[in-house]
Amino acid sequence: MSESLPIVGQLLFTGLSIGGVYALVALGIVLIYRATNVVNFAQGDFSMLGAYILVVLTQGAGLPYGLAFAVALAAMALFGLLFALGVYYPLRNRTFLPVIIATIGASIMFQNGALAVFGPSPQKLRPIIDAGPTGGVTVGGVFFDYQYLVTLVVTLVLVAVQHFFFEYTLLGKKMQATSQDKDMARLLGIPVTAMIALTFIYSTFLGGLSGMLVAPIFFVTHKMGAVLGLKAFAATITGGFGDVKGAIIGGLALGIVETFGAAYISVPYKDAFAFLVLIIFLLFRPQGIFGEKVAEKA
């Protein structure tokens, strides 16, 4: 029993770290959904774009890692504004369906654009903390890879910052009011258009950040965003669609299930476990862990 504890701890640490990436992408999906009632199917591709921008800045332009990271995040925030202006605003007065189709079209365009620019060969990014021959530290029989550790810590810090921002700042409360009832928010003098634009900017920032964090763990390809986006979508359903804490818990839970499933059942079917969990929830608890029914906003 005692010999298995380090293995369980190792899998738990790895699952939480990967789940943190899913949680960041899922948060972006949920925030845009709450603000616009539209599912952004291009959210996963923001991860891919963020990762490619970091590759270009570090390996192409030769910028120091920290500076490249900051520039890439700023670029993703700007890209979020352009995405809102170019994809959402022209269709904002239509029903949700044209907007969803537009996000799917944007997703395909981003993937094909990345394929045309960077080619099909996967790119490799060095870890954020490139220290020591092992790239990590062993504590209690559990190996803590620095990149996984950074991913998990960044996720937890962002969740805490986001909680503070939405609960204790005026701007956060305005964004929450906009997401809950846009007409009432407009009557109260809240600039709804600006709040929705900020939501897109922040969600794109989150997507780009998740891609930059996971890029040193996996290869950067034009299809990496599609996989992340689908798993993040599964995480939002699992946690409770439209629920912020549901997206976080769902993402972390999905990472753990995926990691334990790969270790104890089948590595080739690793990616399938997320969708197996999604199907189980849709069959037996479609409202997800935190209870909001999908049908209420469909």
Side-chain angles (χ1 to χ4, degrees):
M1 179 66 180
S2 59
E3 292 180 357
S4 65
L5 281 178
I7 298 175
V8 172
Q10 185 69 63
L11 294 174
L12 191 61
F13 168 68
T14 304
L16 285 173
S17 300
I18 295 299
V21 174
Y22 300 153
L24 291 179
V25 181
L27 266 177
I29 293 175
V30 167
L31 291 174
I32 289 179
Y33 175 74
R34 287 167 65 96
T36 65
N37 284 340
V38 168
V39 177
N40 177 22
F41 283 97
Q43 185 67 32
D45 295 292
F46 295 157
S47 306
M48 177 266 295
L49 292 173
Y52 268 123
I53 291 174
L54 193 59
V55 168
V56 169
L57 292 175
T58 55
Q59 300 179 5
L63 293 183
Y65 216 102
L67 178 60
F69 219 90
V71 173
L73 287 175
M76 287 308 299
L78 177 62
F79 186 80
L81 177 61
L82 296 177
F83 184 85
L85 295 174
V87 177
Y88 171 70
Y89 278 101
L91 302 171
R92 66 188 184 282
N93 295 322
R94 306 281 186 87
T95 60
F96 69 91
L97 190 58
V99 186
I100 288 178
I101 292 174
T103 65
I104 294 173
S107 170
I108 295 171
M109 185 182 72
F110 295 153
Q111 291 178 35
N112 289 342
L115 178 62
V117 173
F118 300 102
S121 300
Q123 307 278 339
K124 185 66 178 174
L125 203 60
R126 72 169 177 82
I128 294 175
I129 300 176
D130 195 10
T134 60
V137 60
T138 300
V139 178
V142 178
F143 178 69
F144 291 90
D145 185 286
Y146 289 139
Q147 186 61 39
Y148 284 82
L149 200 57
V150 167
T151 302
L152 184 57
V153 169
V154 169
T155 300
L156 295 176
V157 169
L158 264 180
V159 168
V161 170
Q162 180 171 301
H163 175 76
F164 176 83
F165 175 74
F166 282 112
E167 296 297 329
Y168 299 104
T169 69
L170 181 59
L171 182 59
K173 290 183 183 298
K174 286 181 178 179
M175 290 177 70
Q176 280 206 76
T178 301
S179 71
Q180 290 169 4
D181 191 330
K182 286 191 281 295
D183 293 331
M184 181 59 72
R186 196 173 282 112
L187 288 173
L188 292 172
I190 295 174
V192 171
T193 301
M195 294 301 108
I196 291 177
L198 278 176
T199 303
F200 271 96
I201 290 171
Y202 182 59
S203 298
T204 311
F205 174 92
L206 287 177
L209 177 61
S210 65
M212 295 175 213
L213 290 172
V214 82
I217 299 174
F218 304 116
F219 288 109
V220 180
T221 70
H222 65 285
K223 290 184 177 178
M224 66 177 283
V227 176
L228 284 175
L230 285 173
K231 289 185 179 179
F233 186 71
T236 61
I237 298 291
T238 303
F241 204 77
D243 193 291
V244 171
K245 62 179 178 297
I248 298 166
I249 300 300
L252 294 175
L254 219 57
I256 293 172
V257 168
E258 184 179 276
T259 305
F260 275 84
Y264 289 110
I265 300 176
S266 171
V267 174
Y269 286 97
K270 173 175 172 287
D271 290 333
F273 292 118
F275 304 108
L276 180 62
V277 171
L278 172 64
I279 291 170
I280 291 172
F281 265 86
L282 287 175
L283 286 174
F284 300 106
R285 191 173 172 80
Q287 68 269 37
I289 297 172
F290 290 98
E292 186 174 359
K293 292 182 179 179
V294 177
E296 289 177 359
K297 287 192 175 182

